[in-house]
Amino acid sequence: MPDLRALDLNLLVVFQYLMEDRNLSAVARRLGITQPAASNALRRLRATFDDALFVRTAQGMLPTPYAQHLGGAVAEALSTLAHALEAPPRFDPASSSRRFRVAMTDVGEIHFMPALMEHCARQAPGVRVESVRLQGAELQREMDAGRVDMALGAFHGLAGGLLQRMLFRQGYATLFRRGHPTAHEGMGLKAFRAERHLLVSHAAPYGQVNQALEKAGLVLATHFSVPHFTAVPYIVSATDLLATVPRKLADSAASRFGLGILTPPIRVAALQSNLYWHARFQRDGGNQWLRALIVDSFAQR
């Protein structure tokens, strides 16, 4: 048995064609090479396997017993390789039952998931989008391993191997209940600072809001807090607390919960939301389809 490292695998194609055609001239024509080149390939095959492999007879080039022994394995290997090299099947959202895992924050779920579910119901009724809550190094590992298809929103700490596309930038707005005795659009910093606030304490990467509030003079420890954005509109609608949140969340919550909106008199850097995916899946049909759907649905024009 020859060392595979020393075997020119192109010679196996010559071997396979000789098994099929039993004629060296026919093999040369199929390969688009000259007959001397085909003869040289046969010579190299014989030297590699230390066997005549094919013997010229009145019935053509007939295989030796060792060539017959090799024939089935070579044909199967070449067939398997040819199948693997074929273009992958086209992704058809209408018939697919693929499940995509997409990392989002809780505020991202509020903004992205309803529209994604609606689009999937219309275009891809068998496709499911599963939201996962991951950040930083853990999210990077899961995307590297292919267990998370993409990340959608404002994420920090993502690096090697990932591609990204900016979707939109947004500022912040402050929510208050309608009928609040003192809150109103245009209120100054002193009045704003005097109010009671509801803080979101563990919603990375939105900590810049709390930093801006603290820089403006609020003592954060004296105010109420919740770990996530989900509960914010429920609490604000039932209290006199103010809550400063990303603008898209404020716009969505205001209409649903009967809340007022004011521009906070503090400076907070705009928040950028991106779409992230791994370079390994750049040409994956399903990944491409979902990326296009997300860009069409949410990207700023």
Side-chain angles (χ1 to χ4, degrees):
M1 181 65 188
D3 187 342
L4 284 177
R5 291 173 297 178
L7 175 62
D8 182 352
L9 298 181
N10 290 308
L11 295 177
L12 296 182
V13 178
V14 176
F15 176 92
Q16 177 63 24
Y17 286 178
L18 272 170
M19 288 292 291
E20 295 171 359
D21 296 338
R22 310 295 171 92
N23 184 291
L24 203 56
S25 297
V27 170
R29 286 193 298 271
R30 287 180 70 178
L31 291 171
I33 61 176
T34 64
Q35 184 159 338
S39 297
N40 182 58
L42 177 56
R43 180 188 59 77
R44 292 173 61 198
L45 275 167
R46 287 168 169 165
T48 297
F49 290 103
D50 193 23
D51 188 269
L53 295 177
F54 297 91
V55 178
R56 193 180 303 278
T57 72
Q59 290 77 40
M61 301 285 289
L62 296 185
T64 66
Y66 185 59
Q68 290 178 317
H69 164 73
L70 291 174
V74 170
E76 183 179 356
L78 291 176
S79 175
T80 300
L81 183 58
H83 180 72
L85 294 175
E86 291 176 355
R90 177 178 168 272
F91 179 78
D92 179 18
S95 61
S96 175
S97 58
R98 183 164 168 178
R99 179 177 293 272
F100 294 93
R101 301 182 78 230
V102 182
M104 302 182 201
T105 62
D106 65 328
V107 70
E109 288 171 343
I110 294 168
H111 181 66
F112 296 116
M113 284 297 281
L116 286 178
M117 291 175 180
E118 182 181 349
H119 287 308
C120 285
R122 289 201 311 266
Q123 302 178 28
V127 168
R128 295 293 178 265
V129 176
E130 175 189 350
S131 171
V132 296
R133 200 71 57 78
L134 297 169
Q135 289 281 347
E138 185 181 9
L139 174 56
Q140 180 80 47
R141 284 194 301 271
E142 292 297 289
M143 294 186 73
D144 287 344
R147 291 187 290 267
V148 170
D149 295 283
M150 55 192 72
L152 186 54
F155 289 93
H156 293 162
L158 298 180
L162 298 186
L163 304 175
Q164 61 180 284
R165 204 272 198 196
M166 196 273 283
L167 294 176
F168 55 80
R169 292 186 179 91
Q170 60 177 317
Y172 289 83
T174 300
L175 292 170
F176 60 93
R177 72 170 180 87
R178 291 209 178 123
H180 191 289
T182 52
H184 58 88
E185 177 59 79
M187 69 186 304
L189 178 59
K190 182 177 179 181
F192 182 80
R193 212 166 34 211
E195 297 290 341
R196 294 184 305 155
H197 292 261
L198 177 64
L199 310 176
V200 181
S201 57
H202 294 104
Y206 305 101
Q208 58 194 26
V209 176
N210 293 344
Q211 294 171 8
L213 291 171
E214 194 167 35
K215 189 174 181 180
L218 274 76
V219 180
L220 302 188
T222 64
H223 294 273
F224 296 92
S225 68
V226 291
H228 305 294
F229 283 103
T230 310
V232 167
Y234 292 92
I235 296 171
V236 172
S237 66
T239 67
D240 284 338
L241 298 175
L242 306 188
T244 301
V245 301
R247 182 77 203 199
K248 289 185 182 294
L249 174 61
D251 290 339
S252 174
S255 59
R256 286 176 170 81
F257 289 86
L259 303 177
I261 298 178
L262 64 88
T263 303
I266 57 174
R267 296 186 64 179
V268 188
L271 182 68
Q272 180 168 309
S273 291
N274 294 339
L275 170 61
Y276 302 86
W277 67 97
H278 204 282
R280 292 199 296 129
F281 300 98
Q282 169 72 1
R283 298 182 62 187
D284 174 78
N287 197 287
Q288 287 179 325
W289 171 78
L290 185 56
R291 295 198 315 260
L293 177 63
I294 289 169
V295 170
D296 288 344
S297 301
F298 302 108
Q300 285 177 335
R301 304 302 176 191

